[in-house]
Amino acid sequence: MSPRATVVTAVALVLVLVTSVALVSFQLGRAAAPAPTATDPAEVDADFTVLEETYRQLSEEAVDPPSSEELLRGAIDGMLETLDDPHAVYFDPEAFEHFNRQLDGTFSGVGLMLEEDEGGPVVVNVLPATPAEEAGVEIGERIVSVDGRDVRDLPLRDIVDLVTGEEGTDVTVGFEEGSDGPRELELTRAEIDLPLVQAELLDDGVGHVHLMGFSQGAADRVAEAVDELTAQGAQGLVLDLRRNPGGLLNQAVSVASLFLAEDEPVVTVRESGGEERPMRSSGGDTDLPLVVLVDRGSASASEILAGALQDAGRADVLGEQTFGKGTVQSVRTLSDGSGLKFTTAEYLLPSGVSLEGTGITPDREIAEDEDALVAAADLVRDLIAAASLAPAA
């Protein structure tokens, strides 16, 4: 991974939370950038003498002094806290390795997608052919303990740290609110490939493409799914972005390019210095009628994609107001293999609107208890019918 990879993240859903380290701000986009230029110590304005003195005195004179590693971690955490940036995170080397693997779409865990909640994280998806599915974990169950420890009051990231581990090791997870009532399941962690895309042909020529993340290769998999559905007779598409917390920014742009004309605007990244960097479609050949499904778990890269298609008039957006994540995080690799993630930019829709705190407003809002996919498929059928009645040019 480039040491200056750029990540767009959002907080709320932990993408395959228990399959990797929580990106407590959700990972929603990464794009390569130039390697950083080393800074000459003489050019640094801050005087680190006081920091060094504090470190030495605490190490030598404090009662029960923390270890050198703990003091260093505390100093780093303190610097990040001064940023007033809710997405700023320090990863130790092991956590950083897991973070990078998650961005690449491969995980070691049990195969759950979770949503943060006051009473403990709720299961919102169980990945197929994973330890969690084989054990019968249900959507809607709530994690309340890990290896006998009550985790209901722990931050999501800490819960992930407890559940994540090496392939082949066991973890006991306590659940509540499932059909079997409170229970504990011993799950054996496994290597998991995130199924980025699930596709099926519905009735009357409607193709359903469910994109669950924007890790590496997402755009290629969407393109393959669309080609397969078209070969099966699909005349229109539902692009389902529900509970999709995002991934790589370049993949979001590439997916948008499948449906937009060449050079159509997709997103603009506004750097910390005010410089704006527009990103445009490379152009695709998918001109089938299109409806996009979103919900409150659709964040960042999902919002970029849905917003670009909506702004261009290419697709109607159905569902719930999306999460509202409009800032860009950058990842920096440190010399010991650890890493930092912090906000360096914001992104704007083609209309110039920022999504931060607001999100995408659907063209048609659908309540949680309604069948959104049925409504989206019905609209696609209407669009197919209207296209068939349109006079040829």
Side-chain angles (χ1 to χ4, degrees):
M1 185 185 77
S2 165
R4 283 182 56 92
T6 299
V7 178
V8 184
T9 61
V11 187
L13 263 190
V14 173
L15 170 63
V16 199
L17 160 70
V18 206
T19 61
S20 181
V21 171
L23 316 181
V24 173
S25 324
F26 274 106
Q27 59 160 28
L28 279 299
R30 182 178 64 176
T37 303
T39 303
D40 188 326
E43 297 177 0
V44 177
D45 294 332
D47 183 354
F48 289 97
T49 303
V50 174
L51 180 62
E52 182 180 352
E53 291 173 348
T54 302
Y55 171 83
R56 185 174 61 253
Q57 292 185 12
L58 291 178
S59 299
E60 296 174 356
E61 300 179 28
V63 176
D64 296 326
S67 67
S68 297
E69 292 77 12
E70 290 170 330
L71 285 172
L72 177 60
R73 174 65 185 267
I76 294 173
D77 286 343
M79 284 188 280
L80 292 177
E81 286 178 8
T82 65
L83 297 176
D84 193 25
D85 177 0
H87 310 299
V89 178
Y90 168 77
F91 299 100
D92 63 35
E94 181 180 0
F96 196 47
E97 180 182 357
H98 283 295
F99 177 90
N100 291 330
R101 293 181 65 199
Q102 180 160 338
L103 288 179
D104 292 332
T106 302
F107 316 95
S108 176
V110 299
L112 295 177
M113 294 182 71
L114 305 178
E115 182 176 11
E116 191 168 27
D117 188 80
E118 291 182 359
V122 176
V123 176
V124 295
N125 199 3
V126 181
L127 299 180
T130 62
E133 185 191 52
E134 293 169 2
V137 178
E138 302 171 348
I139 292 175
E141 287 195 88
R142 186 186 304 275
I143 291 182
V144 294
S145 67
V146 178
D147 287 332
R149 176 181 177 181
D150 191 316
V151 299
R152 281 170 285 198
D153 294 330
L154 290 183
L156 202 52
R157 182 184 176 193
D158 291 349
I159 297 172
V160 173
D161 288 341
L162 293 174
V163 178
T164 302
E166 294 184 8
E167 179 183 5
T169 59
D170 294 331
V171 60
T172 301
V173 183
F175 296 92
E176 288 185 354
E177 301 184 19
S179 59
D180 294 330
R183 58 177 178 162
E184 287 190 340
L185 296 175
E186 184 176 82
L187 305 173
T188 301
R189 302 176 180 101
E191 196 74 13
I192 297 170
D193 289 325
L194 177 63
L196 289 178
V197 175
Q198 293 179 337
E200 61 179 334
L201 184 64
L202 307 178
D203 296 336
D204 302 325
V206 177
H208 176 218
V209 179
H210 190 184
L211 177 59
M212 291 173 281
F214 289 84
S215 57
Q216 195 62 45
D220 289 340
R221 296 193 192 184
V222 172
E224 291 169 1
V226 170
D227 287 344
E228 291 174 3
L229 290 171
T230 302
Q232 295 171 23
Q235 302 173 58
L237 298 171
V238 175
L239 180 58
D240 195 340
L241 302 178
R242 290 175 297 174
R243 294 172 179 166
N244 182 330
L248 308 181
L249 178 59
N250 62 354
Q251 292 300 306
V253 175
S254 294
V255 174
S257 296
L258 299 174
F259 303 101
L260 296 175
E262 185 175 358
D263 210 37
E264 285 260 25
V266 176
V267 65
T268 296
V269 179
R270 179 182 290 164
E271 309 289 353
S272 57
E275 180 182 354
E276 294 190 352
R277 178 166 55 92
M279 304 183 75
R280 296 181 172 273
S281 167
S282 59
D285 56 3
T286 305
D287 58 359
L288 298 177
L290 181 66
V291 170
V292 176
L293 263 181
V294 296
D295 66 6
R296 60 193 176 94
S298 306
S300 202
S302 293
E303 295 171 295
I304 289 172
L305 175 57
L309 296 173
Q310 186 183 53
D311 278 5
R314 179 63 181 87
D316 289 309
V317 177
L318 272 62
E320 301 175 289
Q321 191 81 14
T322 60
F323 180 79
K325 181 66 181 63
T327 55
V328 179
Q329 281 67 51
S330 290
V331 175
R332 301 291 186 262
T333 302
L334 303 181
S335 59
D336 64 348
S338 60
L340 298 174
K341 176 171 67 66
F342 54 95
T343 301
T344 57
E346 64 177 331
Y347 57 82
L348 309 173
L349 292 178
S351 60
V353 173
S354 171
L355 294 169
E356 184 68 18
T358 57
I360 297 291
T361 300
D363 297 298
R364 176 182 165 190
E365 293 196 12
I366 300 177
E368 286 186 36
D369 56 353
E370 294 183 27
D371 194 334
L373 180 56
V374 170
D378 286 343
L379 179 54
V380 172
R381 292 185 186 99
D382 291 342
L383 294 173
I384 292 171
S388 67
L389 295 175

